[in-house]
């Protein structure tokens, strides 16, 4: 199985010595910060995935609209590199997998079709070394 082999490939072990933030901790920290963002290492089990354009999304919650959801937006270059490493698209292979992501979690306003807004806490993943698949 290609995925199992790919997951066994050592990816960079960042964040050693620092406990990763859970989605709840990341959302609370970003909400409390004046800048509405927090830098760190974040860890969660992928509850749902999606894609839009060339980007892919890994969500901590089954419903990405959930206020308790932390999303990782994988930009095109990362999607392509993970595709090559994993043997398939990350949005197809990583649901249910545990991931660790280094970056900045920020509150992003999202406008619904009815004109109302909600906030999503999102981590932009621009380079493959920001993400580690734990299994």
């Amino acid at each position: 199985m290609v995925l199992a082999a790919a997951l066994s490939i050592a990816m960079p072990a960042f964040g050693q010595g620092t406990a990763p933030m859970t989605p709840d901790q990341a959302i609370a920290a970003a909400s409390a910060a004046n800048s509405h963002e927090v830098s760190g290492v974040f860890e969660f089990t992928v509850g749902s995935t999606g894609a839009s354009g060339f980007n892919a999304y890994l969500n901590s919650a089954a419903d990405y609209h959930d206020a308790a959801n932390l999303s990782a937006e994988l930009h095109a270059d990362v999607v392509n590199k993970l595709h090559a490493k994993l043997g398939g698209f990350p949005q197809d292979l990583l649901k249910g997998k545990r991931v660790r992501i280094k970056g900045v979690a920020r509150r992003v306003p999202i406008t619904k079709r009815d004109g109302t807004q909600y906030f999503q806490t999102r981590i932009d993943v621009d380079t493959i070394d920001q993400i580690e698949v734990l299994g």
Side-chain angles (χ1 to χ4, degrees):
M1 176 159 192
V2 176
L3 179 59
L7 290 174
S8 67
I9 296 171
M11 294 184 82
F14 48 75
Q16 292 179 349
T18 303
M21 282 187 249
T22 65
D24 288 341
Q25 291 168 329
I27 292 164
S31 295
N34 288 336
S35 63
H36 296 292
E37 60 184 46
V38 61
S39 295
V41 177
F42 311 93
E43 191 172 308
F44 60 89
T45 299
V46 178
S48 64
T49 64
S52 178
F54 296 107
N55 296 335
Y57 297 88
L58 306 178
N59 304 302
S60 66
D63 179 359
Y64 73 92
H65 294 103
D66 189 325
N69 178 59
L70 178 63
S71 289
E73 181 176 4
L74 310 179
H75 296 160
D77 188 53
V78 176
V79 171
N80 292 335
K81 287 179 179 175
L82 281 174
H83 183 277
K85 183 176 282 268
L86 300 175
F89 288 106
Q91 64 269 29
D92 296 334
L93 299 175
L94 295 181
K95 185 174 179 186
K97 304 294 181 193
R98 191 136 187 93
V99 295
R100 183 178 295 145
I101 301 168
K102 180 180 179 181
V104 177
R106 56 180 54 86
R107 287 175 44 98
V108 178
I110 307 293
T111 303
K112 295 182 184 181
R113 291 185 179 135
D114 66 4
T116 61
Q117 280 192 335
Y118 71 98
F119 286 92
Q120 184 180 75
T121 305
R122 186 182 304 160
I123 309 160
D124 288 328
V125 182
D126 298 310
T127 61
I128 195 167
D129 63 336
Q130 286 180 257
I131 185 167
E132 183 179 3
V133 179
L134 302 175

